[in-house]
Amino acid sequence: MATNAGKKFENDFKNSVDTDKIFLHRFKDGTTGTVNGQMIRFKNKNLCDFLLFKDGQLVLVELKSFLGKSMSFSNIKSTVDEQQTFLYNLRLEAKKNNVKVYMILNFRDLSETYAIDIHNFDEFYRMTSKKSISIDEARQLGKQLFQQKKRTSYKYEIDSLFN
């Protein structure tokens, strides 16, 4: 079975972490099942995709990979209420000592990836009338993660998330 691009990005990200130096935990996604002959997706209410810990600092990351020069906010969650709640919960965690939270946006077409601090991302989200964030806005709000292509996968510079 082929791996979708989002899962491939998550695997590349995970494989980029030096687990001898950084603690890494991947939260499990929801599962699918059949009830009365119908496919049903059981959603987990995870705070984020990954938890990283190094030198007393906790970093929470939510990864998003997509095609094009912008990411629709519907990639975060399907409804505005769900999006707002999700971002609010991440912002709450980021207010704690030694906790950083990032939205990591992977613009696959352009081979560019940006880590945007959750406070900056949420402020942009709340202030814009748009329903997406463009590559230019991600460049302004975030820091580019260095990435190196290795045949079919990428290796990302993860240490910069702790600076």
Side-chain angles (χ1 to χ4, degrees):
M1 183 161 103
T3 304
N4 76 37
K7 293 295 176 206
K8 184 172 179 344
F9 175 49
E10 289 175 4
N11 287 332
D12 287 351
F13 184 88
K14 181 177 106 180
N15 294 332
S16 297
V17 175
D18 180 353
T19 55
D20 289 335
K21 297 177 183 173
I22 300 171
F23 172 81
L24 168 75
H25 178 75
R26 168 69 169 109
F27 293 100
K28 300 238 186 274
D29 285 333
T31 59
T32 57
T34 306
V35 176
N36 296 329
Q38 288 188 310
M39 286 294 284
I40 295 180
R41 181 168 171 88
F42 302 101
K43 288 186 177 181
N44 284 350
K45 298 277 184 182
N46 292 334
L47 181 62
C48 58
D49 289 324
F50 286 97
L51 177 148
L52 306 164
F53 184 80
K54 176 185 170 188
D55 298 333
Q57 189 166 40
L58 181 67
V59 174
L60 306 174
V61 295
E62 177 69 17
L63 303 179
K64 297 296 175 191
S65 182
F66 44 88
L67 295 172
K69 293 183 178 181
S70 67
M71 180 196 75
S72 169
F73 294 136
S74 66
N75 283 13
I76 299 171
K77 296 288 180 191
S78 22
T79 69
V80 170
D81 286 342
E82 289 174 322
Q83 293 164 16
Q84 290 172 342
T85 300
F86 180 74
L87 294 172
Y88 174 78
N89 289 336
L90 288 175
R91 225 179 43 247
L92 278 180
E93 297 305 320
K95 289 181 180 179
K96 297 175 181 170
N97 285 340
N98 299 320
V99 177
K100 289 186 176 185
V101 180
Y102 293 100
M103 291 290 292
I104 299 185
L105 309 183
N106 174 241
F107 294 84
R108 287 196 311 266
D109 289 354
L110 306 171
S111 296
E112 292 183 33
T113 302
Y114 293 89
I116 304 175
D117 178 273
I118 196 62
H119 297 293
N120 293 340
F121 187 91
D122 188 52
E123 183 179 352
F124 173 82
Y125 174 85
R126 288 185 288 128
M127 300 307 243
T128 190
S129 58
K130 297 169 40 180
K131 297 193 183 304
S132 64
I133 182 169
S134 72
I135 181 72
D136 291 332
E137 292 155 339
R139 287 172 178 152
Q140 289 177 334
L141 294 171
K143 57 183 168 186
Q144 187 170 12
L145 286 185
F146 173 76
Q147 62 190 53
Q148 181 180 16
K149 188 160 188 172
K150 308 264 188 181
R151 283 193 198 169
T152 60
S153 62
Y154 283 89
K155 180 170 177 55
Y156 297 92
E157 176 55 51
I158 303 301
D159 282 337
S160 66
L161 298 176
F162 291 92
N163 299 331

